[in-house]
Amino acid sequence: MKLHRLVRSWALSYTENRKYSPIGVWFHWIMAGLVLFQLGSGWLMSRYPVGGSKLATYELHSELGLSILLLALLRFGWRLFIPDPVNDADAPGWQSTAAHITQKLFYALFALLPLSGWAMWSAIQPVEPLRIAGLVSIPPMPFHTLSPAWQFQVLDWAESLHVLGVIGLALLVPLHVGAALKHHFWDRDDVVRGILPEIRDDETAPDHKQYTPRAG
Ligand code: HEM
Ligand code: HEM
């Protein structure tokens, strides 16, 4: 059997069981961790006084931010290859519509934030070298050909878009996490278990408790 068929049937064995595949699970948690780190580092660095640690945090923030763009592209490709599972999160109604809109907005922000950050970085002359995750060199966007007044304009627009993206994330993340907690603790359905790394269910364990969905 070809490798891609093997990988596909391995991943489908999870999604057909109403769970994300381990690759989908790790994409989710690595990206969630990076996004939270970016929100924290961005907030901190804008408040640091000018100096060495401000610059070092800018560099870390920018290089990790660009890896979010790469991961989002890979995640999107994976999603086309292996569709997400259908589980209680997809029950018809406004809640699943809201969840699907939130997911699309997250993906839009995973592109908007790194691209506007990259544009900001490229509009400040002379442009310092930048690498994805500190490894692969990324060329600046070609703003050095613009007049200084236009460079300033681009910087201003990119900064406004970046802040707009940050506000979007700051609103969506608590909504998303709150909805996940509601699914888990109130509805008691299988939504959160679908995105958690697999923990073997030992049916023979003496204290094994079965989750029973809340009625109604
Ligand atoms: C998902 C990815 C990213 C997130 C969540 C994020 C988040 C943030 C946050 C919260 C701030 C502080 C905003 C403020 O309080 O004024 C910020 C500022 C900044 N970010 Fe990002 N960022 C991301 C990607 C990037 C990338 C890829 C770059 C550069 C290549 C970048 C460059 C900057 C710069 C230069 C600032 C400072 C702007 C200023 O001084 O007003 N960011 N970011
Ligand atoms: C910054 C933090 C987070 C971001 C940006 C984020 C983003 C996403 C995205 C884009 C998806 C769609 C699936 C995918 O493409 O991977 C998703 C699914 C999901 N997330 Fe998060 N997430 C975050 C944190 C969390 C946390 C802390 C929880 C749990 C408490 C959680 C629970 C879930 C669940 C249960 C799903 C699956 C929903 C379904 O089956 O339709 N997420 N998340």
Side-chain angles (χ1 to χ4, degrees):
M1 214 195 271
K2 292 241 171 64
L3 182 65
H4 77 274
R5 288 221 193 101
L6 265 176
V7 174
R8 198 174 149 79
S9 66
W10 165 78
L12 288 178
S13 72
Y14 287 88
T15 54
E16 281 161 4
N17 247 326
R18 304 163 71 88
K19 271 186 71 64
Y20 281 79
S21 70
I23 296 193
V25 167
W26 287 109
F27 266 126
H28 175 266
W29 291 108
I30 291 172
M31 287 183 73
L34 281 175
V35 164
L36 292 179
F37 180 85
Q38 286 300 100
L39 285 174
S41 64
W43 189 83
L44 268 181
M45 76 187 193
S46 325
R47 279 145 193 91
Y48 273 152
V50 177
S53 35
K54 185 169 178 116
L55 266 181
T57 321
Y58 258 73
E59 203 174 322
L60 183 66
H61 178 87
S62 305
E63 299 196 337
L64 282 182
L66 283 175
S67 32
I68 292 184
L69 182 60
L70 180 68
L71 281 172
L73 288 173
L74 292 174
R75 169 73 182 102
F76 197 65
W78 176 256
R79 206 179 163 143
L80 294 179
F81 182 50
I82 305 293
D84 286 348
V86 175
N87 56 22
D88 291 331
D90 303 286
W94 68 269
Q95 295 189 48
S96 78
T97 311
H100 289 137
I101 294 175
T102 306
Q103 288 188 8
K104 291 204 173 78
L105 287 175
F106 269 140
Y107 273 89
L109 294 177
F110 295 159
L112 176 79
L113 276 154
L115 287 174
S116 56
W118 186 3
M120 265 194 273
W121 189 272
S122 316
I124 301 168
Q125 307 301 328
V127 184
E128 296 291 327
L130 202 58
R131 283 164 298 165
I132 292 192
L135 298 170
V136 183
S137 275
I138 291 294
M141 293 180 178
F143 300 141
H144 58 278
T145 52
L146 299 176
S147 68
W150 270 105
Q151 282 176 13
F152 184 77
Q153 194 55 256
V154 169
L155 180 65
D156 199 36
W157 285 333
E159 195 174 341
S160 306
L161 285 176
H162 207 70
V163 172
L164 197 72
V166 168
I167 296 172
L169 268 184
L171 292 173
L172 287 180
V173 170
L175 261 181
H176 175 73
V177 176
L181 296 178
K182 176 197 172 271
H183 273 288
H184 197 68
F185 293 108
W186 179 257
D187 303 329
R188 296 192 181 169
D189 58 23
D190 64 358
V191 172
V192 172
R193 265 171 294 149
I195 198 94
L196 290 179
E198 196 169 40
I199 301 164
R200 291 240 159 264
D201 231 9
D202 185 359
E203 298 285 344
T204 57
D207 59 348
H208 175 81
K209 287 200 193 79
Q210 189 74 36
Y211 246 149
T212 4
R214 189 175 284 274

